[in-house]
Amino acid sequence: MFSSLFSRNQEGLERKNYSRLSIISDFHYPCKKLVTPKERLRYMAAKEGALQDMNDWRDLDLAVFTGDMVQRNGDAEEYRLVRLVVNGLKKRKAFIAGNHELLYTGHGEDLRPCSSTERILHFARYTKTFGPLYYAKEQRGYLLVFLSPDTVTGGAAVELSHQQLTWLDQTLAAHRQMPTIIFCHAPLENTAVPEKNGVSLPTPRNSAQPAADIRRILARHHQVRLWVSGHTHTMPGDATFMDDQNYYEGRVLNVYNSDWDEDTIYSNSIYLYSDKIIIRTYNHTKGIWLPVFDRVVTLPEWCRAVA
């Protein structure tokens, strides 16, 4: 599948004919789990080692953090620590917020929803540290859209405001023929393998909301090919990690990602070609690719990338 990663220019020299993105999902630095100091140091070292792997990938164009970079509650010290280690990744970076950046207070097992005043402080801390909550950029003929939770009206972990959804609709309308990838901390509804009792997954709390408004927007904009999410800590080998159910409305592939708070760290890389998208999964702990999880999304002729 990957024999044509490079093409040759008129001088016969090899040049890269794709753009590569790598996903860091639910980084939770230093460690979300309540573990001993020794175990905490082990998790920290493993995460820093995986970032170094990415530093060594010469063809990596953009590293995308899909939310929950902080450890648990998003206080000032957690932001300071994660910013220090993230700065060690010497690649172009893009960020979106997760629920742990914005919605909680407390320590240890005493993690609870924060007040509206505390949320304002969290939002300000996030934007100062990582940038805007939502934005878009172009990458080799593709439109990359980054969404973050920016309102709380119900029990959902990731809820997008009317203002953000209006911006999303207008942004997609302005790029109708440009293949588009959306990054959002939570996945789309009905893109996980259902439970045995037939309950659709992910649950409303753990899927991007408001689901009905998102559905209407995606129905109008068929250039959206991928929705890349974190939040659910979906590991390779889990039924939902790669299944036909991942296709939202049969068209938009929801790419699930595992968290980095595990004994084995995985990351997905997304390769953008003019006519297709390839997703590959890497095991950082063993230093190997996992071809069984390779996926290809072919772009329709009317929606090809023009670099």
Side-chain angles (χ1 to χ4, degrees):
M1 182 187 299
F2 301 99
S3 58
S4 61
L5 284 178
F6 293 86
S7 62
R8 293 185 179 273
N9 61 21
Q10 292 180 348
E11 289 74 31
L13 299 175
E14 286 188 339
R15 65 178 178 84
K16 195 174 69 162
N17 65 347
Y18 62 90
S19 186
R20 179 181 177 186
L21 320 177
S22 287
I23 311 304
I24 299 102
S25 179
D26 299 82
F27 190 54
H28 286 299
Y29 190 86
C31 179
K32 180 185 175 184
K33 296 178 179 178
L34 302 177
V35 297
T36 66
K38 182 178 180 180
E39 290 175 312
R40 177 184 171 95
L41 290 173
R42 179 171 61 85
Y43 280 108
M44 292 166 65
K47 294 174 186 181
E48 292 165 17
L51 291 183
Q52 185 55 52
D53 288 341
M54 293 183 173
N55 275 333
D56 294 339
W57 290 340
R58 296 179 61 186
D59 67 337
L60 180 56
D61 298 295
L62 181 68
V64 182
F65 288 78
T66 54
D68 282 3
M69 287 81 70
V70 300
Q71 179 173 250
R72 289 177 67 83
N73 64 16
D75 64 19
E77 178 62 10
E78 289 193 355
Y79 270 89
R80 185 189 70 82
L81 284 174
V82 75
R83 185 73 250 189
L84 283 174
V85 72
V86 164
N87 285 345
L89 178 58
K90 305 303 182 183
K91 301 288 184 178
R92 288 179 57 231
K93 295 179 281 284
F95 302 92
I96 55 175
N99 47 308
H100 281 273
E101 271 82 37
L102 304 176
L103 301 184
Y104 304 120
T105 189
H107 296 276
E109 295 182 352
D110 182 30
L111 197 66
R112 58 190 184 278
C114 59
S115 67
S116 57
T117 300
E118 289 171 318
R119 281 200 301 274
I120 292 172
L121 295 175
H122 281 307
F123 278 53
R125 190 176 294 135
Y126 177 87
T127 55
K128 181 179 179 180
T129 306
F130 295 114
L133 287 168
Y134 54 93
Y135 57 100
K137 60 175 63 180
E138 296 183 15
Q139 181 78 29
R140 200 182 179 94
Y142 283 75
L143 182 69
L144 309 181
V145 178
F146 303 88
L147 308 177
S148 297
D150 64 338
T151 188
V152 179
T153 63
V158 174
E159 186 176 355
L160 311 180
S161 66
H162 175 73
Q163 179 181 2
Q164 182 173 182
L165 290 172
T166 299
W167 170 87
L168 173 62
D169 196 22
Q170 293 172 346
T171 298
L172 295 177
H175 300 83
R176 289 192 180 278
Q177 292 186 304
M178 183 175 286
T180 299
I181 299 174
I182 295 178
F183 300 88
C184 182
H185 184 59
L188 293 166
E189 66 172 1
N190 299 329
T191 56
V193 174
E195 294 178 337
K196 290 182 179 180
N197 61 8
V199 173
S200 296
L201 294 176
T203 62
R205 182 192 183 280
N206 290 320
S207 56
Q209 298 296 329
D213 292 336
I214 293 170
R215 181 185 297 108
R216 282 191 288 269
I217 291 172
L218 293 180
R220 287 196 290 269
H221 302 291
H222 285 206
Q223 75 270 29
V224 179
R225 311 313 296 179
L226 299 186
W227 182 284
V228 180
S229 65
H231 185 57
T232 54
H233 298 199
T234 304
M235 302 290 287
D238 291 350
T240 289
F241 189 79
M242 188 177 74
D243 188 87
D244 289 344
Q245 186 69 34
N246 299 152
Y247 279 92
Y248 180 78
E249 304 290 324
R251 178 174 51 85
V252 181
L253 177 60
N254 197 121
V255 179
Y256 280 81
N257 291 274
S258 58
D259 66 294
W260 281 34
D261 225 22
E262 305 291 340
D263 292 331
T264 300
I265 294 178
Y266 302 92
S267 68
N268 284 323
S269 284
I270 301 173
Y271 296 81
L272 309 179
Y273 291 85
S274 62
D275 60 344
K276 63 180 175 292
I277 303 169
I278 297 174
I279 302 108
R280 302 190 72 196
T281 303
Y282 188 76
N283 181 326
H284 290 269
T285 305
K286 293 185 176 180
I288 58 173
W289 291 100
L290 304 176
V292 68
F293 298 114
D294 289 352
R295 284 157 284 175
V296 179
V297 175
T298 302
L299 302 179
E301 289 189 5
W302 63 267
C303 184
R304 296 286 172 90
V306 180

